[in-house]
Amino acid sequence: MIISGVKTPTPDGITEVEVEIEGERIKKIGKSLLGEEKKNYHGMLLIPGGVDNHVHIYKRYLRVPTSDTVKDSTKAAIYGGTTTVIDFAFADHSPNVEERISHFQESLTNFSFHIFADNWSDNVEKYSKLFNSVKYMMVDYAELKPSLSGLKKISEKLNGYVMVHAEDHELISALSCGKRGNPSLHALVRPEETEWISVLRAKLLVRQGLVAHVSSGFTLELKGNMKAETTLHHLILSKEIYDRENAHRYVTSPPARDPEELWKRINMIDMIATDHNWFNSSIKDSNREFPTLVPGLPGVELRVPMIITEFIRRGLPLYKAIELLSVNPAKMNALDTGKIEEGYRADLVIYDTNMKWKITAGNTHMADWTPYEGYEVIGKPRYVFRNGDLVLDDGEIKEGKGKLLRRTDID
């Protein structure tokens, strides 16, 4: 099959292109390609399928489980132009990699994993041959206990990179002690300094690293050689959300701060993820007070269209958005997707920039509420190909299953 009549963002600007798909792969890229099955998409934008580096889908191991199924969240991802999601599995606790792979058998997207660990182990070594990253929590999380010696040992032995959740556990605990009440306390006990301190520590210990969900612009000045991931909500939502009557719904860890400080430093950011957590309103509303709030926001469907919208409105080059949404997360995780390049997976999105729409809970496919209610979007994915298969056809989902993606040496 040949995709024609499309334009694609490149470092040199928007370029007309045709792409031939054969099986799961991109066979050829050029102009005026010859072939029997040729579909003209009349000037729409062709971009690589989104790669969301940070999702928590069907999370069942914390106090409050998410409200989704794997099928529901990955269907929402396809609607939003994301064809690969990277979730988490524990090295030495449940759910481990095998369990998480079984959970994802109904995934509509391709999927991969970061490995949760708090020290080097035989299992970390085994799983690091399959996946390119270990997620290290610098706060207590599930059964993981942070220690700087554990972080150092993982970094020394890992053939890949360490993804660091950078919040200072001891400082947060001290600031939280004895406090109960308004949701705004969640942000007050997690000031920007809790992120800065952790990044300053981690960068001295980590050989190859990524700071997860950067929330503070100044963190980007401190991170040294570590890469940086930020999230949709940190780029869109500000600390003023904690003044709202329903502030408990907007709680995340780390909290929203000042998105403009991140946008000023967008060239210091390597990828934009979501930290997707689908909690329905009843779950959020049943946990209204600090410290029993439920952090996490639904986002996997809206990352690609909202970031493209922001880049258009801010006059930023669209190819930079594609790097942050697809190219860089795929490359850092050693996955054979995220690029419009011969030999790569035919994970492709045809995006209609002429469509204008306003986000509501009723016209999205995640949760029964949205933190982005009323946001005006420029464009929408009209057609989505995953592994060469058309899985979104002019807004209609076609059933099918994605594949487990392991680290590869394609580059």
Side-chain angles (χ1 to χ4, degrees):
M1 177 195 173
I2 296 173
I3 295 171
S4 69
V6 291
K7 300 175 291 185
T8 191
T10 73
D12 299 319
I14 306 295
T15 304
E16 292 183 3
V17 71
E18 291 186 346
V19 175
E20 183 177 358
I21 298 172
E22 184 174 86
E24 295 186 351
R25 303 281 168 175
I26 297 171
K27 180 182 180 182
K28 195 170 184 180
I29 300 168
K31 295 182 180 179
S32 303
L33 299 180
L34 299 177
E36 292 182 6
E37 188 184 355
K38 199 168 189 175
K39 180 70 182 290
N40 190 315
Y41 289 95
H42 307 290
M44 284 188 266
L45 206 62
L46 178 68
I47 60 176
V51 179
D52 194 336
N53 188 63
H54 195 151
V55 300
H56 296 278
I57 292 172
Y58 190 66
K59 184 168 72 177
R60 294 294 181 273
Y61 52 83
L62 294 185
R63 176 179 66 89
V64 180
T66 56
S67 306
D68 61 340
T69 66
V70 169
K71 186 173 182 179
D72 287 342
S73 273
T74 57
K75 181 183 287 188
I78 293 292
Y79 274 116
T82 286
T83 53
T84 301
V85 297
I86 308 178
D87 207 298
F88 299 85
F90 290 86
D92 297 303
H93 308 112
S94 183
N96 61 23
V97 169
E98 290 76 17
E99 290 171 304
R100 289 302 275 157
I101 290 172
S102 71
H103 294 163
F104 271 77
Q105 291 310 296
E106 296 301 314
S107 176
L108 274 69
T109 63
N110 293 328
F111 56 96
S112 193
F113 297 101
H114 305 289
I115 305 305
F116 271 132
D118 55 12
N119 212 324
W120 189 254
S121 69
D122 289 344
N123 282 335
V124 175
E125 183 174 10
K126 176 180 73 171
Y127 292 134
S128 68
K129 293 178 172 64
L130 302 177
F131 308 108
N132 205 41
S133 59
V134 166
K135 175 69 178 292
Y136 193 89
M137 304 293 296
M138 296 184 79
V139 294
D140 282 358
Y141 185 83
E143 298 179 57
L144 302 175
K145 299 293 181 183
S147 70
L148 296 181
S149 60
L151 175 59
K152 183 173 184 285
K153 186 174 289 187
I154 289 171
S155 180
E156 288 172 343
K157 293 179 174 290
L158 183 66
N159 180 24
Y161 74 95
V162 184
M163 181 184 187
V164 179
H165 178 119
E167 290 187 293
D168 187 271
H169 177 78
E170 190 174 8
L171 180 54
I172 292 169
S173 296
L175 292 171
S176 302
C177 187
K179 289 185 170 63
R180 300 190 66 85
N182 192 285
S184 63
L185 289 171
H186 183 81
L188 289 174
V189 304
R190 282 175 151 82
E192 292 176 279
E193 289 85 349
T194 61
E195 186 170 280
W196 303 342
I197 291 167
S198 293
V199 168
L200 288 171
R201 288 176 169 177
K203 77 174 184 179
L204 298 174
L205 301 171
V206 173
R207 184 171 47 87
Q208 294 185 67
L210 172 79
V211 184
H213 44 50
V214 170
S215 64
S216 167
F218 190 55
T219 298
L220 299 169
E221 310 283 350
L222 302 175
K223 67 182 180 61
N225 292 326
M226 295 180 73
K227 304 288 188 182
E229 168 205 271
T230 193
T231 71
L232 176 64
H233 55 266
H234 288 120
L235 287 168
I236 301 296
L237 303 177
S238 71
K239 59 188 176 184
E240 279 72 32
I241 59 172
Y242 301 115
D243 297 328
R244 297 181 184 180
E245 184 178 349
N246 60 349
H248 60 279
R249 290 193 181 181
Y250 293 84
V251 166
T252 64
S253 296
R257 307 192 194 278
D258 184 350
E260 291 307 315
E261 290 301 311
L262 294 171
W263 282 108
K264 286 177 189 175
R265 300 169 174 87
I266 195 67
N267 288 327
M268 301 175 73
I269 292 169
D270 297 280
M271 62 185 76
I272 299 170
T274 59
D275 199 0
H276 170 78
N277 281 266
W278 173 335
F279 294 107
N280 284 334
S281 57
S282 60
I283 300 297
K284 288 280 192 174
D285 294 350
S286 297
N287 297 271
R288 290 173 175 266
E289 291 195 344
F290 181 85
T292 58
L293 300 157
V294 179
L297 300 175
V300 73
E301 181 178 357
L302 296 173
R303 181 183 66 117
V304 171
M306 289 182 70
I307 293 304
I308 287 177
T309 298
E310 288 291 323
F311 269 70
I312 290 173
R313 287 190 178 138
R314 293 169 182 270
L316 298 170
L318 275 184
Y319 186 72
K320 177 64 176 178
I322 302 312
E323 286 184 327
L324 297 174
L325 295 169
S326 303
V327 177
N328 291 352
K331 182 177 181 180
M332 192 151 187
N333 291 287
L335 304 179
D336 57 352
T337 185
K339 278 186 180 180
I340 302 176
E341 191 168 303
E342 292 174 9
Y344 275 68
R345 290 185 177 276
D347 297 339
L348 302 167
V349 175
I350 296 170
Y351 192 91
D352 188 352
T353 55
N354 292 317
M355 296 181 73
K356 307 290 193 298
W357 57 289
K358 189 176 289 188
I359 294 171
T360 69
N363 64 17
T364 54
H365 304 84
M366 326 171 282
D368 58 357
W369 73 286
T370 173
Y372 308 110
E373 187 82 30
Y375 182 95
E376 295 184 356
V377 183
I378 300 171
K380 180 177 278 192
R382 288 274 297 277
Y383 305 90
V384 175
F385 294 85
R386 181 216 58 228
N387 301 326
D389 293 328
L390 183 63
V391 289
L392 184 70
D393 185 358
D394 202 10
E396 181 182 345
I397 287 280
K398 304 291 186 181
E399 294 293 332
K401 295 181 181 178
K403 295 190 173 184
L404 171 67
L405 302 189
R406 300 174 177 87
R407 60 184 299 170
T408 177
D409 60 358
I410 191 167
D411 276 336

